[in-house]
């Protein structure tokens, strides 16, 4: 059963991403789907903050390099499938090795490569409501991701003083 989170602004999106990052586990795969400008990279940056990346400003869209790696509590592998021709080209990047590893895989434009994703993962579809507001539809594929969604739903949002800069 998908869960929906409505974000009224960038600060709420960042808080949501940080909470998600704190809950992710070794081998987690997060598939991000949404139109250009929806905030996939912004959400990825916030997830990286939640995972403890030392410099969130370094988390940028890997569109031209296809994958960025960031050291954190768990290694972060940030993929961008936007410029890929399809699932086969994505698979040739060696994604199975990343999926089987101990890091966290964050995949922008995952809908373009969905057939190559593992059987279990978290899908986040981002809908643009207006300039600032977003709707996140989270779908758990597998028991571990359902547990993650249950835990995420039970976590209070960090207070503004908890905001990482």
């Amino acid at each position: 059963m998908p869960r929906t989170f409505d974000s009224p602004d960038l600060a709420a999106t960042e808080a949501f991403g940080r909470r998600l990052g704190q809950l992710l586990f070794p081998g987690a795969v997060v598939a991000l789907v949404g139109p250009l400008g929806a905030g996939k990279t912004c959400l990825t940056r916030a997830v990286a903050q939640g995972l403890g990346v030392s410099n969130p400003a370094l988390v940028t869209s890997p569109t031209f390099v296809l994958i960025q790696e960031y050291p954190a509590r768990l290694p972060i592998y940030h993929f961008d499938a936007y410029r890929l021709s399809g699932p086969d080209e994505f698979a040739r990047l060696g994604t199975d090795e990343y999926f089987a590893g101990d890091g966290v895989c964050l995949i922008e434009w995952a809908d373009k490569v969905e057939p190559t994703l593992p059987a279990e993962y978290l899908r986040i579809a981002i809908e643009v409501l207006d300039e600032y507001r977003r709707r996140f539809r989270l779908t758990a594929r597998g028991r571990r991701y359902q547990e993650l969604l249950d835990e995420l739903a039970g976590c209070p949002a960090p207070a503004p003083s908890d905001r990482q800069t």
Side-chain angles (χ1 to χ4, degrees), residues 47-70:
V47 169
Q49 284 180 299
L51 282 162
V53 73
S54 62
N55 186 355
L58 295 177
V59 179
T60 60
S61 176
T63 298
F64 296 103
V65 293
L66 305 178
I67 181 171
Q68 298 272 19
E69 297 184 20
Y70 308 106

Side-chain angles (χ1 to χ4, degrees), residues 61-131:
S61 176
T63 298
F64 296 103
V65 293
L66 305 178
I67 181 171
Q68 298 272 19
E69 297 184 20
Y70 308 106
R73 172 178 62 86
L74 300 170
I76 301 168
Y77 306 113
H78 180 196
F79 298 88
D80 189 321
Y82 182 73
R83 296 196 182 279
L84 297 179
S85 61
D88 292 338
E89 188 176 359
F90 186 68
R92 284 193 298 273
L93 295 174
T95 53
D96 285 343
E97 291 179 36
Y98 287 101
F99 296 155
D102 289 332
V104 170
C105 295
L106 303 167
I107 306 157
E108 295 190 36
W109 299 97
D111 50 325
K112 293 184 71 165
V113 297
E114 221 151 355
T116 62
L117 297 180
E120 297 190 0
Y121 62 94
L122 178 64
R123 185 179 198 273
I124 302 177
I126 306 171
E127 179 184 352
V128 177
L129 301 177
D130 66 25
E131 184 177 356

Side-chain angles (χ1 to χ4, degrees), residues 22-47:
Q22 292 166 353
L23 296 172
L24 289 174
F25 47 85
V29 175
V30 180
L32 300 166
V33 175
L36 270 173
K40 294 178 292 295
T41 301
C42 177
L43 182 61
T44 296
R45 186 176 302 112
V47 169

